[in-house]
Amino acid sequence: MGFTYKSRFPVEEFAKRFRADFGKEPRATSFEVPVIGGMAVMGKWFIDSGMRRGTPKEDHEHVIAVYGGAGE
């Protein structure tokens, strides 16, 4: 789990390793849930399309973006 923008890089590395180790295991799954708040909410379309481009196609159904609730 990562709780800051900077933490996304180690989280992405972990997810990549998880997919490599368990990607074909039907009993294991993972979800990426980026929580986006503040003024970034106004760029939802831009953010969503960028995340989609940066996520392997087979993982698209495992990404759930949450807009709001990212405050203290």
Side-chain angles (χ1 to χ4, degrees):
M1 276 193 249
F3 294 97
T4 65
Y5 179 77
K6 287 182 182 180
S7 69
R8 80 180 252 242
F9 301 108
V11 168
E12 287 172 354
E13 285 302 312
F14 174 83
K16 188 170 157 184
R17 176 66 186 262
F18 183 89
R19 285 190 298 271
D21 291 349
F22 301 104
K24 297 201 186 308
E25 171 58 57
R27 297 174 297 161
T29 192
S30 66
F31 290 91
E32 183 179 338
V33 185
V35 178
I36 301 160
M39 295 302 287
V41 171
M42 293 171 47
K44 182 181 182 306
W45 179 88
F46 180 75
I47 292 167
D48 284 347
S49 63
M51 283 192 296
R52 188 160 293 274
R53 279 192 309 275
T55 301
K57 193 169 192 165
E58 63 271 14
D59 292 334
H60 283 186
E61 65 186 42
H62 294 269
V63 177
I64 304 163
V66 175
Y67 288 89
E72 298 292 321

